[in-house]
Amino acid sequence: MDCKIVDALFSLLNQSISASKITLLTTLEESIGYGGAIHLYKNYLLRGKPQDLNKFNNKYQKILDTISNYKRVPNIKALELENLETIKSTISKYNSAIIKISTMIKAGKSIQEVDSLVKIDDEPAIKAFASLAQEAVKIDFGIDPVE
């Protein structure tokens, strides 16, 4: 096969992989951030409305599904898998905490009592997400945005 054709096919494959990763990262960001799972988590903490808990559970499942789909992208790197696990671990902490919140709300605990017992460090997930985005951009444009 002609070397130019192989290069063109490789370039198209990389663009397709990058587009898949960017789409999945966008879905993750939307599912986690404002209007997503963390927003719904805070709403449930403050208001204790069952619909916020139900919406959180739906977003949580969407996040897990999106992470599973990302893991199936061809040629995924070990660092990407590690970053996905970091995000999954963090969002799983939110899931465990919201279950605890539900129990505490039913027991009549105050928002302050509940909030003081359910602290979650988002920093590792934020760094993991940034690393995944950096990798997707690197593949798509052939550049490292950090350099």
Side-chain angles (χ1 to χ4, degrees):
M1 194 180 271
D2 186 358
C3 195
K4 289 181 182 180
I5 294 173
V6 172
D7 287 345
L9 289 173
F10 185 71
S11 177
L12 285 173
L13 175 64
N14 275 343
Q15 289 173 359
S16 175
I17 289 170
S18 179
S20 295
K21 287 179 179 182
I22 290 169
T23 299
L24 290 165
L25 286 172
T26 300
T27 301
L28 266 180
E29 184 177 36
E30 291 169 354
S31 297
I32 293 171
Y34 185 75
I38 294 173
H39 186 83
L40 293 165
Y41 169 89
K42 290 292 185 183
N43 283 349
Y44 185 67
L45 172 65
L46 294 173
R47 297 181 189 94
K49 291 183 179 178
Q51 62 263 31
D52 289 328
L53 177 59
N54 292 334
K55 289 177 185 178
F56 172 88
N57 288 332
N58 291 335
K59 291 287 185 181
Y60 177 68
Q61 189 56 56
K62 185 173 184 177
I63 292 164
L64 296 180
D65 292 344
T66 302
I67 289 171
S68 292
N69 290 337
Y70 195 116
K71 288 179 177 180
R72 289 193 291 272
V73 172
N75 302 322
I76 191 165
K77 295 180 178 175
L79 180 59
E80 290 173 287
L81 291 170
E82 184 180 317
N83 287 324
L84 289 168
E85 283 304 313
T86 298
I87 294 168
K88 183 178 177 180
S89 172
T90 301
I91 200 65
S92 293
K93 289 175 186 174
Y94 277 97
N95 186 58
S96 296
I98 208 165
I99 293 166
K100 186 186 285 188
I101 290 169
S102 182
T103 302
M104 294 175 79
I105 287 172
K106 289 175 185 170
K109 301 289 184 187
S110 72
I111 292 171
Q112 291 79 12
E113 288 176 290
V114 175
D115 191 38
S116 70
L117 296 174
V118 287
K119 301 286 184 199
I120 298 165
D121 181 10
D122 292 328
E123 193 61 32
I126 292 168
K127 287 180 181 177
F129 192 87
S131 177
L132 289 169
Q134 178 183 342
E135 182 61 30
V137 169
K138 191 186 316 181
I139 289 173
D140 197 28
F141 299 105
I143 59 169
D144 188 343
V146 175
E147 291 179 354

